[in-house]
Amino acid sequence: MKGCVFDLDGVITDTAKFHFAAWSQLAKEKLNLELPASFETELKGVSRIDSLNRILKFGGVKDDYTDEQVQAMAAEKNGYYLKAIEKLTRDDILPGINDLIAQLKEHHVLMALASASKNAPAILEKLGLMDAFDAIADPAKVAHGKPAPDIFLAGAAAINLDPSECVGVEDAVAGVQSIKDAGMVAVAVGDAHELAKADKVVPTTADFSYDLFEETYEQAHK
Ligand code: B16
Ligand code: MG
């Protein structure tokens, strides 16, 4: 394993609750719609505009809005979200992540970020992790969002590695699909049943370690 390509939301910090709260507020105010709790998981790793399209479809109002109105609603949701993440600090880094980063650095493993979030650089800044990563793939520059492999391929390319030399890390079903289709070994955090396509699934980020990643990588390349 020469590189590690990380998802952000759900892996480095838990922002899914803020995304869900912001979408719920928008749905209520603009669509008079109550979002079911299942949407918090369902929208993980899904881009801003694809998330809104899923919500409009759920409400049966997909064809009722112009592109301009859809863009305006997405921007409004992002406003709510930005307000919610204002208070993020180093204390919001998920358990085990600081140790993992230190271990990967010790073993000279390169690190890239492959988040679907356009707010990723701002979030890393708030967490004090901007310098920890060697590269950040820009989701605005890839043609297809997760589950397409584009963002993980961009992450590996940004640290000048072949995907086969990297481990990808995710918490979302769409993200694991993206890692596997990029030709990477996948380590996932969350429900083993849901994330069964990953090479290794652990229940929490506290279970992450260099040894676990390296063993999973070696096993998959046997
Ligand atoms: P933004 P990840 C994803 O981040 C989130 O999981 C997903 O819920 C969100 O809609 C997407 O980023 C876009 O985020 O609106 O900030 O651009 O899990 O790929 O790090
Ligand atoms: Mg995620």
Side-chain angles (χ1 to χ4, degrees):
M1 172 180 60
K2 290 189 181 163
C4 222
V5 186
F6 285 91
D7 173 47
L8 175 68
D9 292 334
V11 170
I12 306 287
T13 188
D14 181 18
T15 45
K17 54 181 185 278
F18 301 129
H19 280 295
F20 180 67
W23 283 128
S24 297
Q25 188 175 348
L26 181 94
K28 202 166 200 163
E29 284 174 13
K30 284 275 146 35
L31 310 168
N32 198 21
L33 196 68
E34 199 75 49
L35 285 189
S38 58
F39 263 73
E40 178 166 336
T41 304
E42 211 178 295
L43 299 179
K44 278 185 186 172
V46 180
S47 76
R48 196 180 307 166
I49 215 71
D50 289 348
S51 297
L52 180 51
N53 281 327
R54 284 197 197 190
I55 291 167
L56 294 175
K57 202 168 159 199
F58 168 77
V61 290
K62 182 121 174 53
D63 301 322
D64 296 4
Y65 297 94
T66 63
D67 279 356
E68 235 169 50
Q69 288 172 316
V70 171
Q71 291 297 342
M73 280 193 269
E76 192 169 332
K77 177 266 173 178
N78 196 48
Y80 302 145
Y81 179 69
L82 287 176
K83 195 139 194 67
I85 61 170
E86 248 170 36
K87 293 184 215 85
L88 284 181
T89 69
R90 284 172 199 273
D91 292 343
D92 295 296
I93 298 171
L94 283 169
I97 295 298
N98 282 321
D99 285 347
L100 174 70
I101 290 172
Q103 291 167 13
L104 291 170
K105 288 227 175 289
E106 208 176 291
H107 288 89
H108 307 291
V109 176
L110 292 173
M111 280 181 266
L113 197 77
S115 170
S117 175
K118 291 179 178 161
N119 296 305
I123 294 172
L124 282 189
E125 196 71 65
K126 286 187 183 300
L127 300 176
L129 287 178
M130 207 51 169
D131 295 335
F133 287 86
D134 299 289
I136 301 174
D138 184 354
K141 290 203 179 118
V142 302
H144 305 288
K146 300 172 188 179
D150 306 30
I151 192 79
F152 277 92
L153 290 173
I159 45 176
N160 296 310
L161 291 175
D162 190 85
S164 67
E165 298 172 306
C166 301
V167 165
V169 194
E170 262 288 351
D171 68 313
V173 175
V176 168
Q177 188 66 50
S178 178
I179 294 173
K180 293 314 295 175
D181 286 348
M184 283 183 202
V185 172
V187 173
V189 57
D191 184 274
H193 191 70
E194 238 173 57
L195 300 164
K197 283 191 180 162
D199 297 277
K200 182 84 190 173
V201 186
V202 291
T204 76
T205 54
D207 301 304
F208 286 162
S209 67
Y210 168 80
D211 287 345
L212 176 90
F213 283 24
E214 179 63 16
E215 271 165 32
T216 306
Y217 179 85
E218 291 303 332
Q219 194 68 31
H221 281 272
K222 252 187 191 163

